[in-house]
Amino acid sequence: MSDSKGVVHTPGWVADFQKFLLRGNVLDLAVGVVIGAAFTAIVTSAVKDIITPLIGLATNGVDFTNLFITLKGPHLATLAEAQKAGAVTLNIGVFLNAVIQFVIVAFFIFWVVRLVGKLYRKKEAAPAAPPAPSKEEVLLTEIRDLLASR
């Protein structure tokens, strides 16, 4: 909207929205989401491409995907065949795989956080020199010493 002088007035909510967007916690959240998405790709790759094959090698490739119960429809050998035939299935193996995947990801994240925590603590370990006393503290100390000497 503009007035008779041609000046454009913005609604009050626009300024409120700008304040909201430029608040520190909103920007921190946005950065956290972006970093989280990038970190998710790293964790997913580490688990899928490194840890899971090692576990598969150690367990001789045990896969629980075809562990299912047919509730309605034809009883077939694999879950894919049962689903293709339209059977209603209780997919216990898929759920177990998801739980195992979660435990692996949680374990990986635990070690990453622990490692970062150790690195961060090493940086903080160097004790800083105590701050110099303020002018008020120096003055009060002098007053105390003068009173004590009387």
Side-chain angles (χ1 to χ4, degrees), residues 14 19-20 25 28 34 41 44 48 52 57-58 61 65-66 69 71 75-76 79 84 96 114 117 124 134 150:
V14 173
K19 286 179 191 174
F20 170 75
N25 54 357
D28 290 344
V34 171
T44 301
K48 180 183 169 197
T52 302
L57 185 64
T65 303
N66 288 318
I69 298 170
L71 300 175
H75 297 276
L76 299 168
L79 179 61
K84 189 174 182 179
L96 283 175
R114 189 168 182 197
E124 287 183 348
S134 67
R150 288 187 180 184

Side-chain angles (χ1 to χ4, degrees), residues 79-148:
L79 179 61
E81 291 172 352
Q83 288 177 336
K84 189 174 182 179
V88 177
T89 57
L90 191 61
N91 304 329
I92 299 166
V94 174
F95 175 74
L96 283 175
N97 281 343
V99 169
I100 292 168
Q101 190 79 6
F102 169 78
V103 170
I104 293 169
V105 169
F107 188 70
F108 180 81
I109 296 279
F110 166 77
W111 283 107
V112 168
V113 169
R114 189 168 182 197
L115 176 66
V116 170
K118 283 185 178 186
L119 292 173
Y120 188 69
R121 273 185 250 129
K122 285 182 182 178
K123 288 181 181 178
E124 287 183 348
S134 67
K135 291 179 182 179
E136 292 84 9
E137 290 173 319
V138 171
L139 182 60
L140 289 171
T141 303
E142 290 174 2
I143 294 171
R144 181 197 64 201
D145 293 344
L146 284 171
L147 290 174

Side-chain angles (χ1 to χ4, degrees), residues 20-39:
F20 170 75
L21 286 179
L22 297 177
R23 248 190 248 165
N25 54 357
V26 174
L27 293 175
D28 290 344
L29 179 61
V31 169
V33 168
V34 171
I35 295 293
F39 189 67

Side-chain angles (χ1 to χ4, degrees), residues 3-79:
D3 61 12
S4 61
K5 297 179 184 178
V7 177
V8 177
H9 296 284
T10 58
W13 64 266
V14 173
D16 291 342
F17 186 62
Q18 286 175 335
K19 286 179 191 174
F20 170 75
L21 286 179
L22 297 177
R23 248 190 248 165
N25 54 357
V26 174
L27 293 175
D28 290 344
L29 179 61
V31 169
V33 168
V34 171
I35 295 293
F39 189 67
T40 299
I42 293 170
V43 171
T44 301
S45 176
V47 170
K48 180 183 169 197
D49 300 328
I50 297 171
I51 297 171
T52 302
L54 293 173
I55 292 173
L57 185 64
T59 60
N60 290 327
V62 173
D63 183 15
F64 298 109
T65 303
N66 288 318
L67 179 61
F68 66 99
I69 298 170
T70 303
L71 300 175
K72 182 179 178 184
H75 297 276
L76 299 168
T78 68
L79 179 61

